[in-house]
Amino acid sequence: MGEDQTVVQLGLDTFGDRTIGTDGTPTPYPQVIRDVVAEAELADRVGVDFFGVGEHHRDDYAISAPEVVLAAIASRTERMHLGTAVTVLSSDDPVRVYEKFATLDAVSGGRAEIILGRGSFTESFPLFGFDLQHYEALFEEKIGLLHELLKEDPVTWQGALRPPLQDADVFPKTAGGIRTWVGVGGSPESVVRAARYGFPLVLAIIGGQPARFAPYVDLYHRALAQLEQPTLPVAVHSPGFIQETDELAREILWPHYKTMYDRIGRERGWPETTRDRFESEIEEGSLYVGSPETVAQKMADTIRTLGVQRFDLKYTSGPVPHEHLMTAVELYGTQVMPRVRELLAAQPVP
């Protein structure tokens, strides 16, 4: 992660959305997972820098054990870094998180990364026996323990919600440590927490104008300085979709995006989305949808505006058929990434 914005890191994220086939029927979960592995193989071939896999425990997403999927991807790829988007640390155990990712790091030849988060859904809490009343406290306590475990020395630790550890040594050790990020959705407290522990920051910008997150980037850097932490990278995670033309990208994505948005909306009390809102989010918000040139221009603008060192495009939004996702991945690597770097070289970050 150098400071040269002409070599900014460019990645892809997926939650393993349950897709539909060309006949409109839902794809079986095992096939969705195999398709994600195929998408990752293609991403590696076309030069993508990072591939992130989300963790969910609900029927519209196929991936509940991202580390297993990432290990399969590691065996079929050679260069890109592999991580979660995100690991729901609050309902996991820090020791197991360390062990799983240290193992993935070995399998992948040092390419494993963790992105920690509290998760935007809560199904994992009752599933694994955690009380949602402890939502904040669980994350705060567990991130502190994982921070100690990542040092790869024996750990003595005590908290309020998990049994203590006394001089506990955890294996396997890694060759060079595991890069660990914290994903945040816009909470100042979360931004400062990432700085306090010395973790790089991922901003999940999934709606509205990206520029509104500039104060969080500034807060993070000020917090790092005040806490006497080294300068660390900031990344952006945002949804998008790429096809050969703007019109084709919008027409393919719209019905699937609406399916996804309206389902979540029914759970959270949002009104149904409209085509006008969808178009507005593409034009002015945080949906990176269109031809390679359109998406590259918008990505470069966000990278400049926020001064970030990595951009991860979530290339799946709803049950878009696998064949369209493969096209999006290929266009991202072969056309969008080179164009973004070209644009940043011509007009660097101020």
Side-chain angles (χ1 to χ4, degrees), residues 43-176:
D44 190 61
R45 289 199 301 271
V46 297
V48 173
D49 296 314
F50 171 81
F51 195 85
V53 175
E55 174 194 344
H56 294 86
H57 304 271
R58 32 186 297 132
D59 65 358
D60 42 350
Y61 302 110
I63 297 173
S64 58
E67 305 87 357
V68 179
V69 178
L70 291 168
I73 292 170
S75 71
R76 301 188 186 188
T77 58
E78 298 179 355
R79 48 168 304 282
M80 68 182 177
H81 281 226
L82 306 170
T84 43
V86 298
T87 291
V88 185
L89 183 62
S90 305
S91 57
D92 209 330
D93 184 84
V95 173
R96 289 298 286 151
V97 170
Y98 170 83
E99 291 174 339
K100 288 182 287 189
F101 279 91
T103 302
L104 175 64
D105 199 62
V107 170
S108 66
R111 295 185 282 139
E113 297 188 9
I114 311 171
I115 302 178
L116 302 171
R118 292 177 294 177
S120 59
F121 297 100
T122 59
E123 288 86 357
S124 64
F125 287 82
L127 190 63
F128 298 120
F130 293 101
D131 191 338
L132 274 170
Q133 292 184 5
H134 298 148
Y135 183 81
E136 292 284 350
L138 281 165
F139 190 75
E140 181 63 55
E141 183 169 295
K142 291 183 178 185
I143 197 173
L145 175 53
L146 183 61
H147 179 260
E148 294 303 309
L149 292 164
L150 289 167
K151 297 175 184 177
E152 303 196 8
D153 296 321
V155 172
T156 296
W157 175 91
Q158 184 167 350
L161 299 171
R162 185 202 185 280
L165 295 175
Q166 180 64 44
D167 201 31
D169 214 358
V170 182
F171 302 94
K173 306 299 183 184
T174 68

Side-chain angles (χ1 to χ4, degrees), residues 263-295:
R263 170 169 179 163
I264 296 171
R266 286 191 294 272
E267 297 171 1
R268 300 183 180 183
W270 303 342
E272 289 188 4
T273 194
T274 65
R275 183 64 185 255
D276 286 346
R277 290 181 61 185
F278 172 72
E279 298 285 349
S280 177
E281 194 64 42
I282 293 171
E283 295 293 339
E284 301 176 3
S286 297
L287 262 181
Y288 296 74
V289 175
S291 68
E293 179 65 20
T294 295
V295 172

